[in-house]
Amino acid sequence: MENNKQLLLDSRYLRMAQIWAENSYCRRRQVGALLVKDKMIISDGYNGTPVGFENICEEDDDHTKPYVLHAEANAITKVAQSNNSSQGATLYVTTSPCIECSKLIIQAGIRRVVFGEYYRITDGVDLLKRAGIDCVQLVHDETDDNYHYITI
């Protein structure tokens, strides 16, 4: 029963992160992230340019601009500016974290990461697992319209 309850919560928060990703102006990939602690959303983020920059994420040749912030980095820096602590929180992110975001996740004290799809480079997840952070892939099965954990 408790496992089903956790799956239900995880699938809801991941769907919310997917909706939040729609706020991104990036054309190549829109990524959303939510930081949740004690069943409360304490921060959110999506990939995009820093405050004050134009909302264009890609160069003319369709490469991502080097200063674009990832969804996880935006969520972590946003919580750092608040009165909330990410210590022990769960991060829900639509795409698995890169190595740079994984370092931030470790330093922020996040204990669990739930993501929807793997990024093509998996070194970020490898680092998180090495740090003892619980990493879970959650996929939506179109055939039965349910979410399922994928063992990592």
Side-chain angles (χ1 to χ4, degrees):
M1 179 67 177
E2 187 61 34
N3 238 1
N4 288 341
K5 192 173 184 181
Q6 187 62 54
L7 177 62
L8 184 64
L9 285 172
D10 286 345
S11 62
R12 283 180 182 158
Y13 286 126
L14 187 59
R15 286 195 319 266
M16 291 171 74
Q18 290 164 341
I19 291 168
W20 201 243
E22 296 173 15
N23 288 316
S24 172
Y25 287 91
C26 297
R27 293 187 317 259
R28 290 180 62 217
R29 178 186 300 268
Q30 294 180 312
V31 180
L34 292 179
L35 256 176
V36 177
K37 186 174 180 179
D38 301 324
K39 297 182 184 175
M40 290 185 350
I41 298 169
I42 61 170
S43 190
D44 54 57
Y46 52 88
N47 56 325
T49 56
V51 173
F53 283 66
E54 73 287 348
N55 287 321
I56 300 170
C57 298
E58 291 86 9
E59 303 282 2
D60 290 338
D61 63 1
D62 213 32
H63 284 91
T64 301
K65 292 182 178 182
Y67 53 82
V68 168
L69 290 156
H70 290 189
E72 306 94 316
N74 268 325
I76 291 169
T77 56
K78 189 174 179 179
V79 79
Q81 294 177 9
S82 75
N83 291 329
N84 290 313
S85 167
S86 56
Q87 190 71 39
T90 297
L91 177 71
Y92 294 88
V93 62
T94 55
T95 304
S96 64
C98 71
I99 192 106
E100 293 301 319
C101 288
S102 292
K103 292 188 277 188
L104 294 175
I105 290 165
I106 293 165
Q107 290 302 99
I110 295 166
R111 67 167 177 76
R112 187 166 178 261
V113 175
V114 178
F115 63 91
E117 64 179 20
Y118 263 105
Y119 184 60
R120 61 183 171 81
I121 303 168
T122 61
D123 56 356
V125 173
D126 295 339
L127 182 66
L128 292 173
K129 291 192 313 187
R130 181 176 171 196
I133 294 172
D134 184 23
C135 295
V136 179
Q137 184 182 15
L138 192 58
V139 295
H140 183 249
D141 186 342
E142 302 283 334
T143 58
D144 65 3
D145 196 35
N146 285 313
Y147 281 83
H148 303 280
Y149 293 119
I150 302 292
T151 305
I152 300 175

